[in-house]
Amino acid sequence: MTTFTPDARLATNNVLLCEWPLSQVWLVNDSRYPWIMLVPKRTAIVEIFDLDEPDQIQLGRESLRLAQYMLKYFTADKMNVAAIGNVVPQLHVHHVARFKTDATWPGTVWGVGTPVPYEAMALSAMTEELSAQLTELLA
Amino acid sequence: MTTFTPDARLATNNVLLCEWPLSQVWLVNDSRYPWIMLVPKRTAIVEIFDLDEPDQIQLGRESLRLAQYMLKYFTADKMNVAAIGNVVPQLHVHHVARFKTDATWPGTVWGVGTPVPYEAMALSAMTEELSAQLTELLA
C-alpha cells in the first residue's frame, strides 16, 4: 500500500478496491451503475498529458484492462470511459458499465439524478470479489 | 486521404479537419464548446480495447496531443476527454474544451441542450486554421 491520499471528494463514500502500479482503483458507491475510477498516484496532476510519458502509457494500459474486465464481469452493453474533472480537478478516470436498461441510457451518468448507495451487505460482497479479481488482473 | 467513412451520425453537420495516422479528426459543429472527435479509421471497433495494441497506443498518443493542443489553443480551463458511444457505437473519442463560463459548466455536455451551429464564415475560418495546425501537429 502506498501512502497516496486522493482528494477527499473522490474518496468519501467510495471504496478503495486495490492498488495498481500507477493508480488506485476506487468503486463508486452508486448502485445505479457499476462505476470504477482510476486515480493515478501522482500529485498535482489534472490532465492526462500532465503525466510523464511512461505514466501516460501505464494509465492507458490500466484503463483498457479495467474496461475490458468490467464489460465482461458485469455483462454490460457498453463501457463509458472519461476524464472530466470539472468538479474535482485531480486526475481521475471514470469507467462506467452501461446497460440499455439502466436509469439514464443512452444519456451519460455525470450529474444526473442522485446516487443510490449500495446496501451494506451487497457493498461488502462486491468489494471483496472485485478487490480480489482486480488485484489478480494486474498481478 | 483514406477512403474510410465514419458512421453518418458522426459526420453529418460536422467537419473533417484532417487525417492523422490512426484517426480522422472531426470538428463538432456546435459553437457552444470547442469540441473535436477522433475517429479511428478501423471498421467494426466499438471499445478502445477492440483495437489492436499498436492502435491503442497510437490512439492514446493522438488523444493526448489533441487535448494538449486544444487546452492551449482555446485557453480553456479544463479538457473533457471521453469514449461513450451509447448512441453511435462506432469508436469515437470526444475532446471538449471547457470553460468555467460555458453553458453547462461544471456539468458535462453530452445530451444537454441543443447544438448551436457555427455561422458559416466563422466555421470556415476555424476549419482552415485548425486543419492547418492539426495537420502540422502530427506531421
Side-chain angles (χ1 to χ4, degrees), chain A residues 8-105:
Chain A
R9 290 168 291 181
L10 299 179
T12 305
N13 299 325
N14 298 327
V15 179
L16 180 61
L17 293 173
C18 65
E19 304 256 356
W20 278 354
L22 176 63
S23 308
Q24 289 187 339
V25 184
W26 285 84
L27 176 68
V28 175
N29 189 6
D30 184 348
S31 63
R32 295 175 303 163
Y33 323 93
W35 185 340
I36 295 176
M37 293 186 299
L38 292 182
V39 184
K41 294 174 273 188
R42 300 288 184 264
T43 52
I45 298 289
V46 173
E47 303 283 352
I48 296 172
F49 56 74
D50 294 334
L51 294 168
D52 66 23
E53 200 176 327
D55 282 353
Q56 292 171 1
I57 292 168
Q58 181 63 22
L59 179 60
R61 193 178 293 137
E62 294 181 359
S63 175
L64 285 163
R65 294 299 294 276
L66 178 60
Q68 193 160 26
Y69 169 84
M70 289 179 72
L71 188 79
K72 187 171 176 189
Y73 179 82
F74 295 108
T75 58
D77 293 311
K78 186 72 189 72
M79 287 304 302
N80 290 177
V81 178
I84 300 171
N86 302 343
V87 176
V88 180
Q90 180 180 30
L91 179 60
H92 57 289
V93 183
H94 300 279
H95 297 72
V96 190
R98 302 298 307 277
F99 301 86
K100 291 177 181 174
T101 53
D102 73 30
T104 61
W105 179 273

Side-chain angles (χ1 to χ4, degrees), chain A residues 86 108, chain B residues 30 32-33 35 80 94 96 98 102 104 107-113:
Chain A
N86 302 343
T108 54
Chain B
D30 185 346
R32 295 175 302 163
Y33 323 93
W35 185 341
N80 290 177
H94 298 280
V96 190
R98 302 298 308 276
D102 72 30
T104 60
T108 54
V109 303
W110 300 282
V112 177

Side-chain angles (χ1 to χ4, degrees), chain A residues 64, chain B residues 21-23 40-43 45 48 50-62 91:
Chain A
L64 285 163
Chain B
L22 175 64
S23 308
K41 293 174 275 187
R42 301 289 184 263
T43 53
I45 299 289
I48 296 172
D50 294 335
L51 295 169
D52 65 23
E53 199 176 328
D55 281 354
Q56 292 171 1
I57 292 168
Q58 180 63 22
L59 179 59
R61 194 178 291 138
E62 294 181 359
L91 179 60

